[in-house]
Structure formats: structure tokens, C-alpha cells
Amino acid sequence: VLRDLQILGTCQKVEEAAGRLYHLFAKIQRADAGMAALWTKTAREEENHARLVQMVIRRRARMQVAVRADPAKAEKALDLIESTIAQAMVSSRSARQALEEAITLENVLMQFHADYAVEFTDAADQNLFRSMMAADKDHLGTLQAALDGLRKR
């Protein structure tokens, strides 16, 4: 039980850190309204994911939940995001660089989410969690489309 809560806590931190990174990219790209809006939207989605994980943590005592994840992979994903934030704070990114970094990051997160599973006995809870995982694929598609659009300019 304690291990599950620690893993879920790291998962929440991963989602929160991704949100912070995307808000930072929105700030860096604020001169381009379209890019800033893309980053802000993506940041808010990551923050929603963090709230969902937080809800799972709070409700865990009342729900039947099994967490299967590699804590080392969770920490590695968190470290990757935190180092990307640190780098972005000291040297600015072009829209293209930020998109490329975000696409790399989202690929890592998708792999991490594919490897970690939270199984609920309640179908509604399970579907809610699965929708969060599916949103990462949407992030990737949206970011890739924005990068493709930049390349065509």
C-alpha cells in the first residue's frame, strides 16, 4: 500500500512538472499567440492529469486499486522533465526547439504510462484513468502537427 502511494505520488509530480514546463514554454513563446495558447492548453491538461492522480491517491482507501509500475521509471520521467525545465529557464527555446523537446518528453511519458497501470474494480474509475492515458497521445499529435506547421512556414 505504501509503495503504491509512493508511485502514485511520483506520477502526480510527473504530471505537475509537465504542466510547469508547458506553462514555461507558453511564457517563453508569449509573442506568438498561437504557440502560447497551445502550451497553455497542454499545461492545463497535464494539471488535470495531476488532479486525477491526486483523486486516486485520496480515494485509494475506499477504492479497490492495484498499481503496477516501476518506481525507477517514474523517477526517471520526473528527472527528465525537471532537467528540461532547468535548461529552459537558463537558455530560451525557439518554438521549434520547445516542440521538439515536448514531443520527446511526451514519447517518454507515453512509454511510461504504457508500462504503468492502475487497475480499478469500478469501471467508471478505470475509464477515467484510461482517458488520461489517451490524452497523452492527443498531446503528441497536437505537438507534432504544430511542429509540422512550423516546418512548412
Side-chain angles (χ1 to χ4, degrees):
V1 173
L2 182 60
R3 178 183 176 277
D4 288 356
L5 289 175
Q6 288 172 330
I7 292 169
L8 287 169
T10 301
C11 294
Q12 180 181 344
K13 288 177 189 172
V14 165
E15 301 295 345
E16 291 167 345
R20 285 196 322 273
L21 175 65
Y22 296 147
H23 278 302
L24 178 60
F25 284 167
K27 185 177 176 183
I28 292 169
Q29 303 290 318
R30 68 183 168 270
D32 181 334
M35 287 303 302
L38 170 69
W39 292 124
T40 299
K41 176 184 179 291
T42 307
R44 288 182 179 146
E45 289 169 355
E46 296 293 353
E47 291 165 345
N48 285 337
H49 296 172
R51 283 191 286 279
L52 180 59
V53 175
Q54 186 179 41
M55 178 202 69
V56 171
I57 292 168
R58 280 195 319 269
R59 293 179 57 197
R60 192 178 184 302
R62 296 187 306 269
M63 297 186 306
Q64 292 292 333
V65 180
V67 179
R68 293 191 316 271
D70 181 345
K73 283 187 180 178
E75 289 294 336
K76 184 178 175 184
L78 182 57
D79 289 345
L80 175 65
I81 299 169
E82 293 290 358
S83 69
T84 304
I85 291 170
Q87 291 167 9
M89 289 176 79
V90 295
S91 67
S92 74
R93 302 284 189 270
S94 68
R96 184 180 179 147
Q97 289 171 314
L99 284 165
E100 288 170 347
E101 286 180 348
I103 288 167
T104 298
L105 178 65
E106 289 293 333
N107 274 313
V108 168
L109 291 178
M110 268 182 34
Q111 185 58 50
F112 167 63
H113 287 155
D115 290 346
Y116 102 77
V118 179
E119 297 295 328
F120 299 88
T121 53
D122 184 297
D125 289 329
Q126 188 66 43
N127 289 335
L128 186 63
F129 209 76
R130 282 196 182 123
S131 72
M132 181 181 87
M133 301 305 154
D136 284 331
K137 290 180 184 171
D138 292 342
H139 290 169
L140 196 55
T142 302
L143 296 170
Q144 187 63 55
L147 181 59
D148 293 345
L150 278 181
R151 288 179 176 152
K152 289 175 183 170
R153 283 187 196 170

